[in-house]
Amino acid sequence: MNFTSRRRRFAQTAVAGIALTGLLAACGGSDSGDDTDSSGPVTLDFWGWANGQEAVVKAFNASHKDVQLKYTKITDQLTMQKQLSNAVKAENAPCLLQNTGEYVTSWVAQGALADISKYVEPNKGKFNSGSWATGQVQGKTYGVPTASAPAFTIYRTDIFKKYGLKAPATWDDFIAAGKVLKKHDIKITNYAGEDPSTLEVLAMQAGAHWYAIDGNAWKVNFQDEGSLKAAKVIQEIIDNDLNAKLSFADYAAVQRSFDNGDTATRQISTWQMSGMVQNFTKSFGDWALSPWPTFAGAAARTPAGTNQSGNLTLVSEQCEHQEQAAEAALWMSTDTGAVKTMASPETGSGVMPALADSDSYVPEAISEKLLGKNYEPAQQIVKDSLGTVTTDWTFGPNWTAMFTELQSQWGKVVSKKQTVTDLLAHMQEWTVKDLKSRGINVKG
């Protein structure tokens, strides 16, 4: 893990204020001079994949003379990780990049991200605390949040009314409704065989902690009470054939299933509405929002989102202009026009801003076309969801590798070749072994 850092040597890194040793494998590099030509504006490469970013970059460039952004659109977040890895090794990483919270610790561990605390901390109060925390490792800030991820259910009101069903308040209600719909050849949800985020978000909601800090080591636990509660719900849905099994590789087929009424609900955040708006032809106005189902007897608690939004703009350690990059990241997350562009399902990605006053952007982040007469009440559902988002989930230092392994096994769960509890047991053993192979202290 040796690469040249043009600004400073990357020191070993720890997490959550705990002593360094053994928590993260660290990388080092040698300093080299800043060979930037001081004449003319500074140009910063910016990689991202979210709809609306090109328009935001255009607006930034029009309003800034001394700093310009050069935008490169990446296919998706998984492609971003691969291309960033290659760029870091080749010592030509972009100054700015979009990413999601689960990858921050891993990239910090590899020395790929710059500590921009001194440039952005004075603006911390502009953001909600949960979103701000996603860019922090050991109290240092490595990225500026761009989005919150309120989570809720969207469901077909016409189908639920036809069969005498109410929006499910609990997961027990959800399963019961699924059994009614099954009699009419309608699935209540869709589990893509390549997407295990369902397990992650339900475990998160149930209070699980797959990773935690224990002294000077990582504690791994895929079999805690919260994980098993999530497993029970998912297993019952699969065992009773209440779920469709459509792959997002055929995105159009997934959207048709919802539009045609073959699948009746989704647990989503605001950004997924843009795909529905862009692909539906039949069901506009037939959708409504309801709170994310709770576990029986538990208070309202919604997951913080996994890959649900491109929720950070990160600054790379190799960037020669880290201060300007940090300031550009702040502008993209706080400028009113930029925020509205990204919040709209029509002009951007339908992402909720990470700002402290994000409630005011709810009307832009959800689609009146999709919701019809349910548009007004839906706004309160989203606002309420912002107040119940999980804030105590930790992403471990080998998250990317772990999630890849989880993906490779999830299809077996969906196809009933293994149970969810079997998968959790496998992930427990695999993750501990993987961390140890990286020289990282681990308990589990």
Side-chain angles (χ1 to χ4, degrees):
M1 294 196 304
N2 293 319
F3 63 87
T4 301
S5 167
R6 297 189 177 185
R7 292 293 296 267
R8 62 180 67 84
R9 181 181 298 274
F10 180 81
Q12 290 179 310
T13 310
V15 180
I18 309 299
L20 158 71
T21 307
L23 284 174
L24 296 174
C27 307
S30 60
D31 293 321
S32 64
D34 186 338
D35 54 4
T36 304
D37 184 352
S38 60
S39 62
V42 169
T43 299
L44 307 175
D45 286 329
F46 172 33
W47 291 4
W49 66 81
N51 292 335
Q53 285 176 334
E54 290 176 90
V56 169
V57 167
K58 184 177 180 180
F60 178 91
N61 289 341
S63 61
H64 292 76
K65 295 181 179 180
D66 297 331
V67 179
Q68 295 284 282
L69 301 181
K70 181 181 179 183
Y71 182 68
T72 299
K73 190 173 180 66
I74 306 298
T75 305
D76 52 41
Q77 68 167 356
L78 294 179
T79 304
M80 173 67 81
Q81 314 319 316
K82 296 174 184 177
Q83 293 190 201
L84 180 59
S85 179
N86 292 335
V88 167
K89 292 174 184 177
E91 302 178 20
N92 61 358
C95 271
L96 291 162
L97 60 131
Q98 174 189 359
N99 226 313
T100 51
E102 64 263 39
Y103 295 107
V104 174
T105 302
S106 296
W107 285 118
V108 169
Q110 296 177 58
L113 303 182
D115 174 8
I116 57 172
S117 302
K118 63 182 178 181
Y119 306 128
V120 301
E121 282 292 327
N123 293 274
K124 179 179 179 180
K126 295 179 180 179
F127 298 87
N128 67 61
S129 58
S131 296
W132 187 261
T134 61
Q136 293 198 310
V137 177
Q138 197 194 358
K140 296 179 181 179
T141 302
Y142 294 88
V144 177
T146 61
S148 302
F152 42 80
T153 299
I154 189 167
Y155 68 100
R156 283 287 294 264
T157 55
D158 54 337
I159 293 174
F160 271 63
K161 182 179 180 180
K162 181 177 181 179
Y163 298 112
L165 299 171
K166 295 181 179 180
T170 68
W171 286 113
D172 289 342
D173 295 340
F174 189 82
I175 291 168
K179 290 178 179 179
V180 172
L181 294 175
K182 178 184 176 182
K183 297 175 183 178
H184 306 282
D185 296 321
I186 299 171
K187 303 296 186 182
I188 196 165
T189 192
N190 180 60
Y191 289 165
E194 74 278 5
D195 182 13
S197 61
T198 295
L199 175 57
E200 180 190 347
V201 295
L202 261 69
M204 187 187 300
Q205 180 196 11
H209 296 282
W210 289 355
Y211 293 88
I213 299 296
D214 186 358
N216 68 341
W218 284 95
K219 181 179 179 180
V220 174
N221 194 348
F222 283 79
Q223 297 170 296
D224 59 7
E225 182 181 358
S227 297
L228 296 178
K229 285 173 68 174
K232 184 177 183 296
V233 169
I234 294 169
Q235 195 66 60
E236 192 164 355
I237 290 170
I238 290 174
D239 287 347
N240 286 281
D241 297 313
L242 308 183
N243 61 295
K245 303 174 185 177
L246 299 173
S247 170
F248 283 98
D250 190 349
Y251 185 70
V254 175
Q255 297 292 3
R256 281 197 302 272
S257 178
F258 293 115
D259 196 24
N260 292 338
D262 298 323
T263 307
T265 79
R266 297 180 71 182
Q267 274 75 45
I268 61 171
S269 188
T270 54
W271 69 270
Q272 284 133 319
M273 285 190 186
S274 61
M276 300 171 82
V277 171
Q278 292 162 13
N279 288 275
F280 285 4
T281 60
K282 301 177 181 179
S283 61
F284 291 117
D286 292 331
W287 294 87
L289 303 188
S290 66
W292 187 283
T294 63
F295 288 92
R301 177 181 166 99
T302 53
T306 54
N307 59 344
Q308 292 187 341
S309 60
N311 60 6
L312 291 163
T313 304
L314 304 171
V315 177
S316 75
E317 174 66 11
Q318 294 179 4
C319 179
E320 295 183 0
H321 302 282
Q322 293 176 6
E323 181 175 5
Q324 291 94 329
E327 290 173 352
L330 280 169
W331 186 93
M332 289 190 287
S333 288
T334 58
D335 176 79
T336 300
V339 171
K340 286 187 175 181
T341 294
M342 296 304 296
S344 169
E346 281 77 29
T347 63
S349 301
V351 295
M352 276 296 299
L355 299 172
D357 64 345
S358 56
D359 276 13
S360 63
Y361 291 91
V362 170
E364 283 85 6
I366 62 176
S367 171
E368 185 171 6
K369 181 179 181 181
L370 182 66
L371 298 169
K373 65 181 181 181
N374 304 306
Y375 173 70
E376 292 292 337
Q379 293 179 39
Q380 191 60 49
I381 297 293
V382 176
K383 291 176 183 178
D384 290 345
S385 173
L386 285 166
T388 61
V389 175
T390 305
T391 58
D392 59 352
W393 182 261
T394 301
F395 295 105
N398 68 335
W399 183 270
T400 303
M402 182 283 294
F403 198 80
T404 299
E405 179 64 18
L406 188 65
Q407 280 184 299
S408 74
Q409 299 295 316
W410 175 249
K412 297 177 184 179
V413 172
V414 173
S415 61
K416 300 183 179 181
K417 294 179 180 178
Q418 71 172 335
T419 66
V420 185
T421 53
D422 287 342
L423 172 57
L424 290 170
H426 168 76
M427 292 309 303
Q428 176 70 27
E429 180 180 355
W430 187 95
T431 305
V432 169
K433 183 178 179 180
D434 182 69
L435 286 170
K436 288 181 177 178
S437 74
R438 298 168 186 264
I440 297 173
N441 288 346
V442 60
K443 297 178 181 180

